[in-house]
Amino acid sequence: MDSNFQAVLQKAAGQQPLSKEDIVTLLKAKPGNQQRELFALADKVRQQHHGNVVHLRGIIEFSNYCRNDCHYCGLRRSNRNISRYRMTVQQVIEASRRAIELGYNTIVLQSGEDPWYDVNTLCRMIAEIKKIKNVAITLSIGERSKEEYQQLYRAGADRFLLKHETADRQLFSSLRPGTSFERRLQCLQWLRESGYQLGSGNMVGLPGQTLDSLAEDILLLKKLDVEMAGIGPFIPHPQTPLAGQPAGDLQLALKTLAVARIMLPLCHLPATTAAGTMHSEGRQMALNCGANVIMPNVTPLKYRRLYQIYPNKAGVTDDPQQSLQKIVGIIHQVGREVAAGRGDSPKPVFQKGY
Ligand code: SF4
């Protein structure tokens, strides 16, 4: 087993293609030497392709309404125990202005799947933010039609995050009633065709998830050739059907992140807030095994605690300035610097000289 691990690690170090079995071998890295070697390789690949900087993306959670009922998510429509909010276009613009003043060059607009914001409203929001500064705008608003994705791109949106959540079709269907894996893939394809820098990702440690299915997650990200991937541990929310299930294993989430970094060297990989929620040093750990992005929350404080996909989210009581200070502290702690510029994908096709 140990010699097999070393052989696969050598393959990975040589950037040779890894099979599903190879990925599972890496995900089984034992605590101690094996894990250290896996993380060191991921860190080396990150350093080679992204250097000593960490990109910041300011995230505005503008609506916690959602038409879906995902079993793992506190925003699910059946959860009657949260107060719902929608920020107005003006409030989103003001929050963006504040983030831009703080120095952010990417604004992530995230919400539940909330059709209340029609495509024209979203286009107006994007255009108004772009008037303040040509920051990169990332949308994370769920499934829409191909025409809407195209319209939003033409309005100025640069990137789109649509996590596939799990590549295990059966698990996907059981955890996301009323939605389908095929439709998810279709949306990802439409986003790719529309010209976005594409982001996807998955949770680690979902009940019933296997190492095989985590390997499938990484292979899917590779096949989609995503520009960004969010990979974080599952954290059960008490007001969902998965309350009482064990949380995902942070070490396994870090190993998944490390393998993703090795297999997708150019991809932007965030140190997730979920990792920071599970362990006070979770984001530092992620930055040391492949992550090169952090997404501080710049949502106005009064809405912040209402956007709880999972409970006790790190930084929920910090205002945008405090969030930024903390994150910069984390970045310096691991010997890195905050990146200047928008942090577009390093792929030549997305280097437009902003
Ligand atoms: S995971 Fe996304 S789509 Fe599912 S309920 Fe939560 S916000 Fe809605």
Side-chain angles (χ1 to χ4, degrees):
M1 174 61 203
D2 283 3
S3 63
N4 187 33
F5 176 81
Q6 288 303 332
V8 176
L9 198 65
Q10 285 301 315
K11 247 172 113 174
Q15 283 295 312
Q16 292 175 43
L18 299 184
S19 66
K20 186 158 105 178
E21 291 68 35
D22 290 338
I23 298 173
V24 170
T25 299
L26 294 180
L27 293 178
K28 282 183 180 164
K30 294 180 194 147
N33 280 347
Q34 289 191 347
Q35 213 163 286
R36 265 197 297 278
E37 286 177 64
L38 176 66
F39 291 172
L41 176 58
D43 198 43
K44 188 173 156 201
V45 174
R46 190 268 314 149
Q47 181 71 29
Q48 271 169 358
H49 293 273
H50 301 275
N52 203 37
V53 293
V54 176
H55 297 282
L56 297 183
R57 324 299 201 192
I59 182 161
I60 300 172
E61 298 157 334
F62 65 91
S63 162
N64 69 353
Y65 280 84
C66 187
R67 64 180 169 189
N68 290 332
D69 218 17
C70 304
H71 285 198
Y72 49 81
C73 177
L75 304 191
R76 64 198 306 266
R77 66 167 187 263
S78 298
N79 185 4
R80 309 259 177 256
N81 294 317
I82 56 168
S83 307
R84 303 279 174 174
Y85 72 89
R86 288 188 175 108
M87 287 171 64
T88 63
V89 172
Q90 203 47 42
Q91 284 176 318
V92 175
I93 294 164
E94 283 315 310
S96 302
R97 189 188 307 280
R98 175 111 202 269
I100 290 166
E101 282 165 5
L102 285 171
Y104 288 97
N105 289 302
T106 292
I107 303 291
V108 182
L109 300 176
Q110 185 167 68
S111 68
E113 232 170 73
D114 184 3
W116 185 88
Y117 295 87
D118 62 22
V119 69
N120 292 326
T121 305
L122 292 170
C123 285
R124 194 152 47 90
M125 212 184 255
I126 293 163
E128 290 297 323
I129 297 169
K130 287 277 182 172
K131 274 189 209 162
I132 304 170
K133 187 180 176 188
N134 187 21
V135 289
I137 295 185
T138 304
L139 298 177
S140 175
I141 58 171
E143 297 180 14
R144 297 259 171 166
S145 70
K146 183 177 185 183
E147 291 67 33
E148 286 178 298
Y149 286 151
Q150 290 171 335
Q151 217 176 315
L152 293 164
Y153 182 75
R154 283 197 298 270
D158 303 88
R159 310 176 187 150
F160 205 108
L161 286 176
L162 187 73
K163 289 191 183 182
H164 68 274
E165 310 291 9
T166 170
D168 178 331
R169 282 160 204 249
Q170 226 178 331
L171 201 54
F172 187 100
S173 314
S174 68
L175 294 179
R176 298 182 54 93
T179 72
S180 89
F181 189 68
E182 283 63 36
R183 169 82 181 172
R184 202 79 175 165
L185 289 184
Q186 176 68 83
C187 286
L188 284 161
Q189 185 58 31
W190 286 337
L191 290 164
R192 171 60 81 213
E193 288 165 9
S194 302
Y196 290 96
Q197 295 174 48
L198 183 62
S200 194
N202 60 282
M203 280 175 283
V204 177
L206 288 164
Q209 194 178 36
T210 60
L211 290 186
D212 258 36
S213 104
L214 280 175
E216 294 282 6
D217 285 319
I218 299 172
L219 287 168
L220 177 61
L221 295 171
K222 177 89 183 152
K223 187 170 162 208
L224 293 166
D225 194 22
V226 289
E227 282 75 52
M228 317 168 270
I231 297 170
F234 159 71
I235 301 177
H237 190 292
Q239 293 156 358
T240 66
L242 297 188
Q245 293 286 341
D249 173 20
L250 179 59
Q251 291 306 315
L252 181 57
L254 295 172
K255 287 190 275 185
T256 311
L257 174 71
V259 179
R261 163 55 67 218
I262 295 163
M263 291 184 68
L264 289 137
L266 297 182
C267 188
H268 284 307
L269 293 173
T272 62
T273 307
T277 301
M278 283 195 75
H279 190 288
S280 59
E281 305 248 306
R283 279 178 287 200
Q284 289 89 325
M285 293 175 194
L287 288 172
N288 284 326
C289 67
N292 71 319
V293 169
I294 297 190
M295 298 166 76
N297 203 320
V298 294
T299 311
L301 211 47
K302 65 177 172 176
Y303 299 124
R304 190 88 59 88
R305 67 186 173 79
L306 302 175
Y307 201 93
Q308 295 227 17
I309 290 173
Y310 53 81
N312 306 319
K313 215 163 118 183
V316 83
T317 54
D318 299 333
D319 73 21
Q321 193 150 11
Q322 288 168 322
S323 294
L324 181 61
Q325 277 164 358
K326 268 192 193 168
I327 300 295
V328 172
I330 288 173
I331 293 170
H332 289 162
Q333 199 188 332
V334 296
R336 314 249 280 274
E337 295 297 328
V338 175
R342 300 180 4 148
D344 287 298
S345 165
K347 292 180 186 172
V349 66
F350 295 115
Q351 289 299 304
K352 296 181 181 158
Y354 297 123

